[in-house]
Amino acid sequence: MRITRRTLLLGAGAGVASVLLASCTPEPTPTPTPTRTREPEPPPGVPAAAGSIRSTWTTDPYALGAASFTPVGVLAGTRLALGAPVDARLFFAGEATDEDAPGTLRGAISSGTRAAEELLIPATSGERVAVVGAGLAGATAAAVLAEGGMEVTVFEARDRVGGRMHSRVDDSWPLPVQLGAWLFGVDDAEVLDLMSNGDVGVVELTGQLWHGPEGDLDPIDPQPFDAAMTAAQAAPEDSSVTDALTAAGIDPSDPATAALLAILAARTGAGADELSSWFAPPLPTGDPKAATGDVAPFIEQALDGVKVGLNSPVARLAYDDSGVSVRLGTGEALSFDRVIVTVPLGVLQDRSIEFDPPLPFSNRGAISALGMGAIETVWLRWDEPFWENDEAIWHSVGADVAIATWINLRPATGENVLVGIVGGAAAAEFAKLDEDEAIEAALASLALYV
Ligand SMILES: Cc1cc2nc3c(=O)[nH]c(=O)nc-3n(C[C@H](O)[C@H](O)[C@H](O)COP(=O)(O)OP(=O)(O)OC[C@H]3O[C@@H](n4cnc5c(N)ncnc54)[C@H](O)[C@@H]3O)c2cc1C
């Protein structure tokens, strides 16, 4: 990653407390190249891809999932309990703590601002504050705290900032490969504004194709689906999206409905049988926008002037009336007045950070009640396109495929790149495949479009 001139890096391996390096470029952690025993077999009509990269958020120890969701029977207010400060020493941010837009970049930003503002109330100028996690929530919180006169240190477990926003910049690809969040809907004007300050290019993805084994189909009307959710939201008790559809006389396994559920799963990471109908986000409307540039500078600009320790996983937070002791995975411990924790819900559920004393029941209850959904993405590129249509978003309807949603980047960028997005149980299955199996499954899903 690049670090701007004023960003300060603490080298954890070399002793965080003593080493303060300005404007340095950390060595990237080597990623093991998977040993290939055979090349992935493309199905007839789909040429072998010239390049492929896929995400692994489901197994990533610093994410353990893609986005939080509200399971059936859980109130959205549970997120307030997740984000509730403890003893005015520990504060919580991250998309999962946002009641209005959980699972999104918007939610991450507003949670970071909220937690930092909460912390500034009891704090006095010049206090030492640690932020755990350098994703969008952590970077936003750090910027607000620095502006508020705090001495801020950010601890990030990875060798890069950005968390679940991650552009892989690789010379063999014509544009950065976006492994995390990169799509923006009608509600994302504020995020897009911030991105444009960070010089991240954005294109519009125009046109949708609905396609089944027999050929192109009319667009699927979301109105009956939306009406079923509206009716469920007026019911005295919460029900799953599946039950809400069934109650409205809609068969969830009908191909058209299943296609809409695949879109919902790719957006929330959750299956219709586990997702609350009271708090299910609406199906996306309109043409989305997509980031085409490296998103790292967008995060780096928020961290400008803040001390950031990369490769610094926090293992334990011990707190009392006088402050918080932060112990890193390396064994080093540092003292702070207050801490904002922004790690993903999946990491909190895994208990990979020890809290001493344990968090109050209400925080712990919220951690176990909320759900962490699975979303995976696979990027494929070809020297020549094998498809002919010019629609940017493809939905597979009534076909037994591993990946039902595809983004065609050719119309917007001129590059022969297709991006598969899969969510919910299908993503959890996809995550279990080895590299070759995953590419084979992706290519097989594209045979429909030949
Ligand atoms: C595949 C995918 C697609 C998505 N698509 C969209 C989209 O199109 N639009 C949208 O709005 N949202 C999307 N999202 C969701 C969006 O990415 C997240 O809501 C947002 O990035 C979360 O930001 P955050 O700061 O809360 O968490 P994160 O970005 O996860 O930041 C938390 C940070 O904590 C670090 N960390 C973890 N454990 C430790 C530890 N022990 N010590 C120190 N640091 C630690 C992590 O490495 C990470 O950097 C998508 C997510 C995924 C995975």
Side-chain angles (χ1 to χ4, degrees):
M1 64 165 291
R2 291 183 314 286
I3 290 287
T4 51
R5 269 221 70 77
R6 287 176 49 229
T7 301
L8 303 175
L9 277 187
L10 295 157
V16 166
S18 56
V19 181
L20 200 68
L21 302 171
S23 186
C24 99
T25 307
E27 285 294 314
T29 308
T31 319
T33 312
T35 317
R36 277 247 154 92
T37 45
R38 61 180 176 82
E39 287 301 312
E41 284 273 335
V46 180
S52 61
I53 297 185
R54 70 158 164 159
S55 65
T56 53
W57 299 105
T58 309
T59 51
D60 180 327
Y62 302 124
L64 293 170
S68 70
F69 69 90
T70 312
V72 58
V74 175
L75 293 176
T78 305
R79 296 179 185 277
L80 299 181
L82 179 69
V86 179
D87 296 346
R89 294 290 163 194
L90 291 184
F91 296 79
F92 294 87
E95 55 82 8
T97 68
D98 193 68
E99 204 182 356
D100 296 330
T104 67
L105 297 172
R106 260 186 311 139
I109 292 172
S110 74
S111 76
T113 307
R114 184 227 356 110
E117 287 173 350
E118 282 171 355
L119 185 149
L120 288 173
I121 294 169
T124 50
S125 184
E127 280 192 5
R128 284 163 51 83
V129 177
V131 175
V132 184
L136 191 49
T140 305
V144 175
L145 293 170
E147 183 73 27
M150 301 297 111
E151 193 187 315
V152 186
T153 305
V154 178
F155 293 103
E156 168 54 52
R158 304 176 195 273
D159 62 358
R160 62 171 181 84
V161 299
R164 282 171 278 166
M165 285 194 98
H166 183 203
S167 308
R168 178 96 65 86
V169 181
D170 182 322
D171 286 347
S172 60
W173 282 77
L175 70 177
V177 171
Q178 311 289 355
L179 292 173
W182 65 303
L183 300 174
F184 308 93
V186 284
D187 297 324
D188 290 320
E190 192 196 341
V191 187
L192 281 167
D193 242 27
L194 292 169
M195 300 266 294
S196 63
N197 293 340
D199 273 343
V200 181
V202 168
V203 293
E204 191 153 321
L205 300 175
T206 313
Q208 309 226 355
L209 175 71
W210 302 83
H211 192 82
E214 307 303 323
D216 291 353
L217 299 161
D218 287 338
I220 292 170
D221 179 8
Q223 202 279 329
F225 183 97
D226 291 342
M229 291 309 117
T230 306
Q233 282 159 13
E237 271 185 28
D238 191 12
S239 62
S240 69
V241 168
T242 303
D243 289 346
L245 289 171
T246 309
I250 299 172
D251 177 2
S253 62
D254 165 72
T257 308
L260 295 179
L261 292 177
I263 298 171
L264 193 64
R267 154 78 182 75
T268 60
D273 52 341
E274 47 188 354
L275 200 58
S276 155
S277 60
W278 278 4
F279 303 109
L283 289 169
T285 52
D287 289 335
K289 294 192 167 71
T292 50
D294 181 2
V295 296
F298 168 56
I299 305 284
E300 287 164 8
Q301 72 177 2
L303 292 168
D304 206 15
V306 167
K307 285 175 278 185
V308 180
L310 298 177
N311 301 307
S312 304
V314 169
R316 184 169 185 268
L317 294 168
Y319 57 101
D320 62 19
D321 290 347
S322 61
V324 187
S325 164
V326 175
R327 199 177 74 207
L328 302 182
T330 53
E332 281 177 273
L334 295 98
S335 296
F336 292 88
D337 295 299
R338 302 170 211 279
V339 170
I340 297 187
V341 180
T342 77
V343 302
L345 176 66
V347 172
L348 293 172
Q349 289 177 331
D350 189 52
R351 293 184 223 144
S352 39
I353 297 180
E354 181 195 350
F355 291 91
D356 183 15
L359 294 176
F361 286 131
S362 56
N363 298 70
R364 275 184 278 156
I367 289 170
S368 64
L370 291 164
M372 191 67 177
I375 307 173
E376 299 294 357
T377 184
V378 56
W379 284 58
L380 301 171
R381 74 179 160 82
W382 288 265
D383 296 330
E384 297 295 330
F386 67 88
W387 61 97
E388 284 175 1
N389 71 75
D390 269 341
E391 281 88 0
I393 305 180
W394 303 350
H395 305 284
S396 312
V397 185
D400 184 17
V401 291
I403 301 177
T405 307
W406 289 90
I407 309 277
N408 169 17
L409 284 177
R410 189 173 155 77
T413 67
E415 304 298 346
N416 302 316
V417 174
L418 296 178
V419 185
I421 305 176
V422 56
E429 284 307 307
F430 189 73
K432 287 184 198 151
L433 303 178
D434 71 23
E435 199 67 14
D436 289 342
E437 289 168 341
I439 304 309
E440 263 177 24
L443 294 173
S445 304
L446 287 168
L448 203 61
Y449 298 93
V450 175

